[in-house]
Amino acid sequence: MTAFPDTFLWGTATAAYQVEGAWNEDGRGPSIWDTFSHTPGLVTNGDTGDVACDHYHRLEEDLDILSALGVGAYRFSISWPRVQPGGQGPVNRAGVDFYSRLVDGLLARDIAPVATLYHWDLPQELEDAGGWPVRDTALRFAEYARLMGEALGDRVATWITLNEPWCSAYLGYASGVHAPARTEPAAALAAVHHLNLGHGLAVQALRSTAARDARMSVTLNLHHVRGVSERDADAVRRADALSNRAFLGPMLEGAYPRDLIADTASVTDWSFVLDGDEAAACQPLDVLGVNYYNPTLVRQWDGASARETADGHQDGAASPWIACEDVEFVKQPGPYTEMGWNIDETGLTELLVRLHRDYPDLPLMITENGAAFPDEVDADGRIRDERRVDYLNRHLTAVTEAITAGADVRGYFVWSLMDNFEWAHGYAKRFGIVRVDHDTQLRTWKDSAHWYRDVVAANKLPG
Ligand code: FCB
């Protein structure tokens, strides 16, 4: 079956710091990603998001591209320091006006706004006060959510509180490959908790505003963890607890998994979890956002041979895999995207089916999926990115298989609408279905954009 349900929502996704630019305009405050990218040596080629895709100034042009693609929804993120420069206090009216124009521009084109409140750009002032490892950040986040609910709540269709809190906590505070570049495992686990708490408080805050009738969601980059053999079941369990159930537990079940607490006991006693926090984190959601790029393969380490760490992260103190010293991350067979990520869409089907089994009443939405390839512009100006088309086709087929198996999947968002600032990789990795020339800001549709437009129009895959 290659057709999708009639109400299936097709979209594309971006994030504020990756596309907007205008980093110091109209009262925007600095975020941890400004600090990170302006620190020599942390981002490939010294790239920064200062200009990015200049989306802040090219809003109308980009909205017209979305319209021409025919998508029913657009997932963007709100830059917290643009609308509340220091992360507390009154809103910055000019910043809010930008998102108000964005939302109105989408609605005028019949495109549903899907707004992510936090796609990693914490106001620097809040990091200076301790960042996500401190409780106050969760409270500040809820207040910011309330302000946005008041400003945009009557027009945003779906609110996503956090994007990939796994990355915020573990890459930001444990491996340090993302902002704020800290390598403190105990602080990373405290960040996990304050992200979970902030999520729940933000949903409550949104529901106290005009956003009360909108759909509430969170986006997780769940890891589809497989073991090399049945002997690796405990390694699978441990990686699954740290990467998936650390968020699913509090957010959807109102409790941290006991095995996670036990696994990490040498790192923290979790005393930052106060009475009532887990219940506060667990708010009813309308849809769960799932970001998927590739699966994860693990093996129990025998303690003797060289330990594999093939997930691209360093071994030792600066691993995002806290308390997983006995777990090997095993290289998976190709083909690979330019990120070095293996292409295996079967993980997406299996992940969606698992989520439906575990949370049968919670609809699912793929809020990111896509691939980086070193696209070439041919002499005729065309960008024949057939590997990206094949990646998208495979993963959309995997979505239809999950739907056939009973999973309630409501929509799919390509990452990304356009080439943008890929975090520590800068502009060196291109995920867009629309090419951006980073010198001229010229936008050019790749073959994948034409292909996606046809899929969206037909509501089914070709062939
Ligand atoms: C995800 C991020 C997104 C983008 C893709 C490639 O982890 O949410 O911003 O960078 O990866």
Side-chain angles (χ1 to χ4, degrees), residues 60 63-64 67 100-113 155:
E60 290 297 316
L63 287 169
D64 286 342
S67 182
S100 201
R101 286 203 312 278
L102 166 52
V103 167
D104 287 345
L106 290 169
L107 293 174
R109 291 165 178 83
D110 253 338
I111 301 170
R155 290 166 287 158

Side-chain angles (χ1 to χ4, degrees), residues 167-189:
C167 295
S168 302
Y170 299 125
L171 301 184
Y173 293 96
S175 68
V177 299
H178 278 185
R182 286 166 59 181
T183 51
E184 303 160 42
L189 292 172

Side-chain angles (χ1 to χ4, degrees), residues 15 18 75 119-120 163-164 167 178 221 291 293 339 341 368 415 420-423 431:
Q18 296 180 273
R75 175 176 179 238
H119 203 123
W120 307 352
N163 176 70
E164 303 190 351
C167 295
H178 278 185
N221 57 323
N291 289 358
Y293 290 92
M339 297 296 281
W341 300 344
E368 281 181 32
W415 185 271
N420 57 48
F421 177 82
E422 178 49 32
W423 309 112
F431 274 92

Side-chain angles (χ1 to χ4, degrees), residues 15 22 28 31 42 54 61 73 82-83 104 127 232 276 285 378 400 405 428 455 460:
R28 179 186 178 280
S31 84
L42 295 186
D54 198 30
E61 178 184 356
R82 193 181 289 292
V83 297
D104 287 345
E127 175 54 32
D232 304 307
L285 298 180
D378 291 340
T400 65
V455 169
K460 66 182 172 76

